[in-house]
């Protein structure tokens, strides 16, 4: 019996650039309703990262790395180029990177951390994969990225 492919980590890529200028540009665009990132809505409130997000990352049991679109390289950058942003990618044990939740899937979650967790688990299951961290095991600390 072959073991299901293991998801070792998740990578969320925001629809925004990092750095002071990128953060300011996104904030201004968001205030003027000219910029939107559904992943930002899931991970952050208007002023800081949501505590519910941190708790959810622990429950998932795998690292969740959050990156801005100008902070990705290699296989992650290639996946972003083919899917766009925002996107949630899965890094598998065989070093491959695959889109897990594309922009449309993130948009319908309406900023809900609870619905995001359910969508991640369903997407992993539907592909025949499994999250590498067993439920209830100590998880790595939540990933940090920018104010979003």
């Amino acid at each position: 019996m072959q073991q299901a492919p293991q998801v070792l980590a998740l990578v969320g890529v925001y629809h925004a650039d990092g750095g002071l200028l990128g953060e300011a540009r996104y904030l201004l665009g968001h205030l003027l309703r000219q910029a939107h990132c559904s992943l930002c809505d899931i991970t952050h409130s208007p002023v800081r990262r949501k505590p519910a997000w941190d708790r959810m990352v622990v429950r998932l049991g795998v690292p969740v790395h959050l990156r801005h679109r100008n902070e990705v390289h290699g296989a992650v950058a290639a996946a972003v180029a083919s899917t766009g942003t925002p996107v949630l990618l899965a890094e598998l044990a065989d070093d491959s990177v695959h889109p897990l939740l594309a922009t449309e899937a993130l948009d319908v979650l309406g900023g809900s951390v609870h619905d995001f967790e359910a969508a991640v688990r369903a997407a992993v299951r539907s592909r025949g994969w499994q999250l590498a961290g067993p439920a209830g095991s100590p998880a790595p600390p939540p990933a940090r990225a920018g104010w979003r």
Side-chain angles (χ1 to χ4, degrees), residues 77-94:
V80 166
S82 69
T83 62
T85 57
V87 65
L88 182 71
L89 306 168
E91 292 183 349
L92 301 186
D94 66 2

Side-chain angles (χ1 to χ4, degrees), residues 11-26 66-74 76-77 80-81 84-87 145-146 148:
V11 180
V13 182
Y14 293 119
H15 185 64
D17 290 333
L20 188 56
L21 185 58
E23 298 281 346
R25 191 177 301 127
Y26 178 80
L66 299 172
R67 302 287 184 259
H68 296 95
R69 63 186 171 200
N70 66 332
E71 299 170 339
V72 297
H73 307 284
V76 171
V80 166
T85 57
V87 65
R148 262 187 308 310

Side-chain angles (χ1 to χ4, degrees), residues 88-134:
L88 182 71
L89 306 168
E91 292 183 349
L92 301 186
D94 66 2
D95 292 327
S96 62
V97 176
H98 304 271
L100 191 62
L101 298 175
T103 302
E104 299 78 21
L106 294 168
D107 286 345
V108 300
L109 301 175
S112 169
V113 174
H114 177 269
D115 292 348
F116 175 86
E117 180 178 4
V120 167
R121 292 185 185 281
V124 167
R125 251 189 332 270
S126 75
R127 288 164 175 79
W129 302 341
Q130 63 183 32
L131 296 171

